[in-house]
Amino acid sequence: MPVIREAMEAIVKGHHGQPFHVLGPHAVAGGGALELRTFQPDAKSVELLDGKSRRPLATFAQLHPEGFFEARLPLPKGEKTLEPYLLRFVTKAGQSVELYDPYQFEPLLTRFDRHLLGEGTHARIWERLGAHPHVLGGVAGVNFALWAPNARRVSVVGDFNSWDGRRHPMRRHEDTGIWELFIPGLAVGENYKYELLPENGPLPFLKADPLAFYAELAPKTASRIFDLAGYEWRDAGWMAARAGRDFTQEPISIYEVHLGSWRRVPEERNRPLTYRELAASLVPYVKDMGYTHVEFMPVSEHPYYGSWGYQTTSLFAPTSRYGSPHDFMALVDAFHAAGIGVILDWVPAHFPKDAHGLANFDGTHLYEHADPRQGLHPDWDTLVFNFGRTEVRNFLLANALFWLETYHLDGLRVDAVASMLYLDYSRKQGEWIPNRYGGNENLEAISFLKRMNELVHAAHPGVLTIAEESTAFPGVSRPTYLGGLGFSLKWNMGWMHDTLDYFSKDPVHRKYHSNKLTFGMLYAYTENFVLALSHDEVVHGKSSLIGKMPGDAWQKHANLRALMGFMYGHPGKKLNFMGSELGQWTEWDHDASLSWHLLQFPAHQGMQRWIRDLNHVLRAEPALHERDFSWEGFKWIDCNDVDRSIYSFARFGKQPEEALVFICNLTPVVRHGYRVGVPAPGLYDELLNSDAALYGGGNVGNEGCVTTEARAWQGYPQSLVLTLPPLATLILKRRER
């Protein structure tokens, strides 16, 4: 009995790392009987019941005053085990409780699952790890599984066991360091965490489930049991059609949204809209505005709201701030019904240090590097994933696939890719460790990103992967078989900085900065670019977009309209952050609604209408999307009229007659009799004029159309004589006379 006594003490004190060696049913040497043991610290007596008839089978003897009980049960000849049995115990308060013993059930994880998890090739770990409702032997409950190889003991704790880590210690799979336990009687909605006892420490600590599908409402941090099954998707047609699309030749205009601050309910303490409410209001708005896609800033659960979701602790759980996982599915479904794709900001670059999260997870640096020169992100004081660790790579790769498969998302925009690619990112000399070749490239992160893109594109044709990458790292949006990283698209950060810098100049000085507008065409086809005016440009004292513009209020509106016209004419897919279409004066505030009240004023109505019309023209005109990534789709007409700050260019589709002509007059001076060469003779309609009265402009223009003259100009045999409105973009389209 000394070994049993030591084991019993370890169970009672919460130190035992293999509770199935002690608890539950065990065959007596020689056969013919079972010894059953249970730990019930609240019980004063325990009975063994038949699981079907509830007939008493045996009475347990108490071996330890803390609540360790044991019973011996003879078995009929030839029998080796029991059908699922019940424990009936009377608590010290006199209550009678019946429950199935968790330690009578075999593990659900197969040897093959554990093999794949161990070698890092299990693409669907969310189906095995985490908390999953199951029925075993006719008994309903929840199976829990967790990777924590360096813990001495792991337990499931929650409201159901008074958060007592001694009550439900888990089985350890020695080959992988995965812990597992099926707990009968638990249901969807229960709060839970894992209590871990570190190998080299006397005190246990609590962690949220890294693979939880749902979480308590912040600031609470428990995970919640949730069954992802049960939602009936209605987007089969959308999903089937998506697989056959060629994004390179399709219009893409993305509306970037922070779900919690798009619109709020002031009558209800300024609360944000729920996922279901957003489905009823955001979806029709985005459709009316003509956007092809919406991009959600990160929705995975995050404790600090001010991180905007970029510091997540539960990568598999949409935030409960706006509803349940099924509610989030309904929002995506509603967008698909409206013909709009859904892109999610995904953050594998770093994670926060919150005590309940991934940091120091099992008492060791499990997900992050131990050395701060590799594991600490200096910009955000967060931690960097160890991309060289097999299980960590598997965790992140599966997470990418999880969002696409479980929530039918149409793309992942990967945040802060540059910080992943370089070991010396934001680090001084001596603050980083070179790679094995002595360079500054993070070889493990590069390998991870390539593998992520390969898996995503193979499993989900038609899905976009988009890199926010701020350097000139080569081949970000080139296939991995050509040496690239494999992304579909890359944000054009250089274009964004140069363009905003140019438009922020007083028009009188713009002639000295013309290269800011033209330089982007020198590298426009080195990547598949997205022209992004994102949330990062309207926070932290940078001012709103309209606030960046020079001049009085009228000129600010005119400048912003001209900028947007130039953007929609420039090669590359498009992204605008919410609020820019309103001409919002204030910076974005994640705790407040957009400035919807501005739409009572004609200038702001005009700005919104201008963006809407640009989106619809982008969709309708092949010249604006078919050749975004080919030099054949763009040609300068004149980029040398810098003294007057006038820029003209043509966009071409696959058919020559689909050409559009853009003329940008970027000073407040009206230009009469301005001659522009054009590709073909005919009548050119003013498809759009940003100075039109309905957009808030002065209505200077060309009375809707102008006819070519047979006079050679700027390399073309035909030309137009135009009136150019001030601080405006004209878009002209040819038609036969």
Side-chain angles (χ1 to χ4, degrees):
M1 294 299 291
V3 175
I4 295 298
R5 187 171 301 280
E6 289 176 8
M8 179 173 61
E9 288 291 338
I11 292 289
V12 169
K13 293 178 179 178
H15 294 162
H16 206 294
Q18 283 289 15
F20 280 83
H21 291 176
V22 181
L23 300 175
H26 296 269
V28 173
L34 291 177
E35 283 186 348
L36 300 100
R37 307 184 192 97
T38 185
F39 176 61
Q40 302 294 340
D42 285 343
K44 63 180 181 181
S45 65
V46 181
E47 253 188 316
L48 178 69
L49 305 182
D50 180 270
K52 293 181 178 178
S53 66
R54 284 179 165 71
R55 177 175 58 86
L57 299 176
T59 299
F60 282 78
Q62 186 167 354
L63 302 186
H64 195 287
E66 289 293 319
F68 191 96
F69 295 84
E70 183 181 68
R72 180 180 286 248
L73 179 70
L75 289 175
K77 189 174 181 179
E79 295 290 332
K80 295 183 179 180
T81 186
L82 287 173
E83 292 295 322
Y85 61 84
L86 282 162
L87 301 174
R88 177 191 290 157
F89 64 92
V90 178
T91 69
K92 294 171 184 176
Q95 294 178 312
S96 179
V97 178
E98 291 183 4
L99 52 81
Y100 286 95
D101 183 2
Y103 298 96
Q104 66 183 300
F105 295 98
E106 294 297 316
L108 277 173
L109 283 175
T110 66
R111 182 175 295 179
F112 185 57
D113 282 325
R114 302 201 303 273
H115 170 76
L116 294 179
L117 289 164
E119 72 174 11
T121 58
H122 203 307
R124 306 176 66 84
I125 64 171
W126 69 87
E127 294 182 347
R128 294 294 180 262
L129 302 184
H132 296 272
H134 274 286
V135 176
L136 292 182
V139 178
V142 175
N143 198 66
F144 297 87
L146 174 75
W147 177 59
N150 303 305
R152 185 158 34 126
R153 185 264 297 165
V154 179
S155 299
V156 185
V157 295
D159 299 330
F160 53 88
N161 63 9
S162 303
W163 298 87
D164 185 346
R166 302 174 302 161
R167 295 193 178 196
H168 289 101
M170 305 175 75
R171 169 191 278 113
R172 178 185 172 93
H173 294 289
E174 298 289 353
D175 52 348
T176 57
I178 293 173
W179 303 76
E180 184 181 10
L181 183 66
F182 176 74
I183 303 181
L186 293 190
V188 167
E190 291 272 9
N191 295 326
Y192 73 98
K193 281 187 177 181
Y194 296 108
E195 184 182 271
L196 297 92
L197 183 66
E199 187 66 45
N200 298 312
L203 298 177
F205 51 84
L206 297 178
K207 290 288 187 179
D209 188 348
L211 280 98
F213 300 139
Y214 198 25
E216 267 191 305
L217 184 63
K220 295 180 179 180
T221 59
S223 303
R224 297 185 68 188
I225 298 169
F226 194 86
D227 189 354
L228 291 174
Y231 181 81
E232 295 185 11
W233 288 92
R234 299 172 176 84
D235 63 350
W238 168 272
M239 298 292 283
R242 186 186 70 185
R245 291 176 182 156
D246 181 358
F247 74 92
T248 64
Q249 299 182 33
E250 291 196 349
I252 294 180
S253 180
I254 304 167
Y255 188 57
E256 186 190 19
V257 177
H258 179 259
L259 292 177
S261 58
W262 180 72
R263 191 189 294 273
R264 294 206 166 204
V265 185
E267 301 84 5
E268 299 179 27
R269 302 178 65 182
N270 200 38
R271 71 165 177 84
L273 299 180
T274 66
Y275 294 127
R276 299 276 182 172
E277 289 171 331
L278 287 162
S281 55
L282 176 61
V283 171
Y285 179 79
V286 174
K287 183 176 179 64
D288 176 65
M289 288 297 296
Y291 288 101
T292 64
H293 292 74
V294 65
E295 179 181 314
F296 299 150
M297 293 169 68
V299 301
S300 49
E301 195 59 76
H302 49 287
Y304 176 46
Y305 193 61
S307 77
W308 311 333
Y310 290 99
Q311 295 186 17
T312 179
T313 51
S314 294
L315 277 166
F316 287 80
T319 179
S320 59
R321 290 175 174 89
Y322 318 128
S324 73
H326 284 169
D327 294 334
F328 183 64
M329 291 176 185
L331 175 59
V332 175
D333 213 2
F335 271 113
H336 287 172
I340 297 165
V342 181
I343 299 166
L344 179 69
D345 265 15
W346 187 55
V347 193
H350 61 116
F351 61 94
K353 299 177 180 178
D354 295 72
H356 69 284
L358 298 178
N360 203 38
F361 189 80
D362 62 358
T364 68
H365 298 283
L366 190 62
Y367 287 89
E368 72 275 21
H369 291 275
D371 192 324
R373 292 175 296 173
Q374 296 173 292
L376 183 66
H377 205 306
D379 282 356
W380 301 297
D381 193 30
T382 51
L383 300 174
V384 180
F385 283 105
N386 183 350
F387 299 108
R389 185 160 197 168
T390 299
E391 296 90 347
V392 174
R393 284 170 59 95
N394 198 169
F395 173 76
L396 293 172
L397 291 171
N399 184 247
L401 295 173
F402 166 80
W403 286 103
L404 299 173
E405 181 159 331
T406 304
Y407 291 103
H408 291 202
L409 296 178
D410 305 288
L412 296 174
R413 176 264 189 187
V414 184
D415 180 64
V417 170
S419 74
M420 301 171 67
L421 296 177
Y422 300 102
L423 296 166
D424 60 346
Y425 186 88
S426 286
R427 298 177 190 272
K428 300 175 184 177
Q429 190 65 34
E431 295 179 349
W432 59 283
I433 300 175
N435 64 36
R436 60 182 177 271
Y437 303 113
N440 68 340
E441 300 87 0
N442 189 332
L443 302 179
E444 290 79 15
I446 292 169
S447 170
F448 162 75
L449 290 171
K450 288 183 176 183
R451 186 59 181 154
M452 182 274 295
N453 281 307
E454 289 169 351
L455 287 174
V456 165
H457 294 314
H460 299 283
V463 160
L464 299 173
T465 58
I466 306 171
E468 185 215 12
E469 203 283 311
S470 55
T471 74
F473 192 92
V476 171
S477 58
R478 295 294 179 256
T480 58
Y481 60 80
L482 295 178
L485 293 183
F487 284 93
S488 311
L489 298 161
K490 170 182 171 174
W491 276 18
N492 194 334
M493 310 294 279
W495 176 91
M496 177 272 296
H497 284 294
D498 286 349
T499 302
L500 290 180
D501 185 49
Y502 178 90
F503 274 91
S504 68
K505 307 292 185 188
D506 189 291
V508 74
H509 301 304
R510 285 177 175 170
K511 62 183 179 180
Y512 304 112
H513 302 278
S514 62
N515 62 310
K516 296 288 186 180
L517 284 193
T518 59
F519 179 66
M521 287 310 303
L522 294 179
Y523 60 86
Y525 305 118
T526 59
E527 300 277 3
N528 298 336
F529 280 122
V530 176
L531 310 183
L533 296 176
S534 73
H535 66 277
D536 279 328
E537 312 319 313
V538 293
V539 289
H540 302 322
K542 297 177 186 176
S543 186
S544 64
L545 285 188
I546 199 167
K548 299 177 193 291
M549 302 295 106
D552 59 23
W554 189 94
Q555 290 180 331
K556 285 179 180 292
H557 277 93
N559 269 299
L560 184 55
R561 292 194 303 271
L563 185 162
M564 290 296 182
F566 174 76
M567 174 187 182
Y568 275 71
H570 195 286
K573 307 308 181 184
K574 319 297 186 244
L575 178 143
N576 284 305
F577 183 55
M578 64 179 197
S580 62
E581 79 277 14
L582 306 179
Q584 183 164 309
W585 293 104
T586 58
E587 287 190 348
W588 169 54
D589 179 0
H590 61 269
D591 283 323
S593 177
L594 296 182
S595 300
W596 295 103
H597 64 279
L598 293 175
L599 291 179
Q600 65 185 301
F601 302 108
H604 295 277
Q605 293 174 14
M607 184 67 70
Q608 185 188 50
R609 187 177 292 115
W610 174 242
I611 302 298
R612 179 191 294 120
D613 288 352
L614 284 171
N615 278 326
H616 285 288
V617 166
L618 178 74
R619 281 173 170 264
E621 298 297 333
L624 292 183
H625 57 257
E626 280 188 345
R627 289 179 166 174
D628 265 327
F629 307 132
S630 168
W631 62 269
E632 299 168 301
F634 176 93
K635 186 175 182 179
W636 286 112
I637 296 173
D638 188 2
C639 60
N640 296 312
D641 195 356
V642 296
D643 285 338
R644 291 184 287 186
S645 298
I646 299 173
Y647 301 86
S648 52
F649 55 89
R651 291 296 308 275
F652 300 93
K654 293 180 179 178
Q655 303 302 320
E657 66 272 13
E658 295 171 346
L660 297 181
V661 173
F662 283 71
I663 306 101
C664 302
N665 177 19
L666 303 180
T667 68
V669 179
V670 178
R671 304 291 180 180
H672 296 284
Y674 191 85
R675 188 173 293 275
V676 176
V678 291
L683 189 66
Y684 280 75
D685 290 321
E686 270 189 356
L687 195 61
L688 290 179
N689 177 351
S690 69
D691 192 57
L694 75 163
Y695 303 131
N699 225 26
V700 176
N702 299 276
E703 298 182 349
C705 64
V706 63
T707 303
T708 57
E709 297 179 1
R711 180 176 176 182
W713 200 255
Q714 296 165 331
Y716 291 105
Q718 301 284 324
S719 57
L720 298 172
V721 178
L722 301 168
T723 297
L724 303 186
L727 297 172
T729 295
L730 291 179
I731 307 177
L732 307 178
K733 182 179 181 181
R734 175 184 171 274
R735 61 182 166 95
E736 296 294 336
R737 302 188 189 191

